[in-house]
DNA sequence: CAAATGATCTACT
DNA sequence: GTAGATCATTTGG
């Protein structure tokens, strides 16, 4: 399945949930790094008070959101970079924020880029960007086999997709509590997980 | 130019 | 495991 096919005709929340278990693949000069997506959040464009594209307000920073589905949107939040994927056709500024990944290959490189214990390596949106060694130079570019890509063939199946309110959205009326955050229940590479919720044996995957 | 924005690290329990 | 300090950039006035 192509990425275009994967994204087309589905709502952004559906895409956010469907991305769990797909694999991010990054080409580097040291070889490829890959990691399964464990946590996402959906941002619903002009209507969503928590989104950068709220009220269709286009700025230099968020311009990539109006590009076609499959475009990478990266913005900097203080000292961190946050990775998003544009999910809808050009002109509809919706995206999914990648908040957690589970290393699948290239672990040595990930730990070189971010020398911390494995449990803290990629369980947060800024952490995973550090571990991947990315800055915002890919912002506005499409997913591509030469840079950052999504592998849809070697997916894992979450045993259970859990959802919750998005993190960091406060005082945004109904959008504060909207269940637009999705994560693999039991997976340790998810932000703010409680230790007793972790499934040590399977990490929450069926396969 | 002032205000607003969230994640991460440290230091401690 | 948690509370509080720390970090830079963007935006709107």
């Amino acid at each position: 399945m192509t990425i275009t096919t994967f994204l087309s005709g589905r709502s952004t929340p559906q895409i956010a949930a469907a991305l769990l278990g797909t694999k991010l693949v990054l080409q580097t000069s040291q070889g490829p790094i890959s990691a399964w997506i464990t946590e996402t959040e959906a941002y619903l464009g002009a209507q969503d008070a928590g989104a950068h594209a709220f009220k269709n307000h286009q700025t230099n920073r968020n311009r990539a959101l109006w590009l076609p589905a499959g475009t990478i949107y990266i913005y900097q939040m203080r000292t961190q970079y946050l990775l998003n994927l544009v999910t809808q056709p050009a002109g509809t500024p919706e995206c999914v924020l990648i908040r957690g990944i589970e290393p699948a290959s290239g672990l040595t490189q990930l730990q070189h880029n971010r020398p911390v214990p494995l449990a803290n390596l990629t369980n947060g949106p800024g952490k995973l960007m550090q571990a991947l060694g990315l800055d915002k130079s890919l912002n506005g570019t499409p997913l591509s086999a030469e840079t950052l890509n999504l592998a849809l063939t070697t997916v894992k199946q979450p045993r259970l997709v859990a959802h919750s309110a998005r993190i960091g959205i406060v005082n945004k009326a109904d959008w504060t509590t909207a269940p637009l955050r999705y994560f693999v229940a039991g997976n340790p590479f998810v932000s703010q997980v409680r230790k007793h919720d972790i499934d040590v044996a399977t990490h929450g995957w069926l396969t």
Side-chain angles (χ1 to χ4, degrees):
Chain A
M1 191 196 303
T2 67
I3 292 164
T4 307
T5 308
F6 177 82
L7 295 175
S8 68
R10 306 164 100 166
S11 72
T12 298
Q14 282 175 337
I15 292 168
L19 281 172
L20 298 175
T22 64
K23 199 153 82 168
L24 272 182
V25 183
L26 175 71
Q27 303 301 327
T28 78
S29 56
Q30 314 294 311
I33 299 176
S34 66
W36 288 289
I37 296 176
T38 59
E39 179 183 2
T40 60
E41 284 179 0
Y43 285 87
L44 305 184
Q47 49 169 336
D48 181 350
H52 283 171
F54 185 46
K55 293 181 176 165
N56 256 312
H57 202 188
Q58 203 171 145
T59 66
N60 257 336
R61 176 175 64 158
N62 67 14
R63 185 152 296 130
L65 289 170
W66 279 263
L67 296 176
T71 299
I72 297 165
Y73 172 47
I74 298 173
Y75 65 92
Q76 186 168 7
M77 181 56 181
R78 300 264 207 193
T79 55
Q80 274 79 238
Y81 296 107
L82 276 66
L83 175 65
N84 301 259
L85 182 64
V86 177
T87 53
Q88 299 297 325
T92 303
E94 303 190 2
C95 68
V96 170
L97 169 66
I98 311 297
R99 290 190 53 92
I101 57 176
E102 174 171 344
S105 71
L107 184 61
T108 309
Q109 272 194 77
L110 291 167
Q111 288 184 311
H112 172 77
N113 291 334
R114 185 175 152 78
V116 300
L118 181 62
N120 279 322
L121 187 61
T122 54
N123 61 334
K127 297 177 184 180
L128 69 88
M129 288 295 275
Q130 257 186 42
L132 290 170
L134 292 177
D135 58 18
K136 60 183 193 299
S137 59
L138 290 177
N139 182 41
T141 68
L143 288 172
S144 133
E146 288 79 42
T147 57
L148 181 63
N149 207 9
L150 256 188
L152 299 168
T153 47
T154 54
V155 300
K156 281 182 173 284
Q157 291 293 322
R159 184 179 52 78
L160 175 67
V161 174
H163 56 81
S164 77
R166 293 175 294 183
I167 292 175
I169 305 293
V170 295
N171 298 328
K172 295 290 193 300
D174 288 350
W175 295 101
T176 305
T177 52
L180 294 173
R181 170 176 176 249
Y182 302 87
F183 57 97
V184 178
N187 189 280
F189 298 95
V190 167
S191 58
Q192 301 182 8
V193 275
R194 286 167 299 192
K195 207 175 239 180
H196 70 262
D197 287 338
I198 294 176
D199 184 331
V200 181
T202 68
H203 287 188
W205 305 112
L206 285 180
T207 53

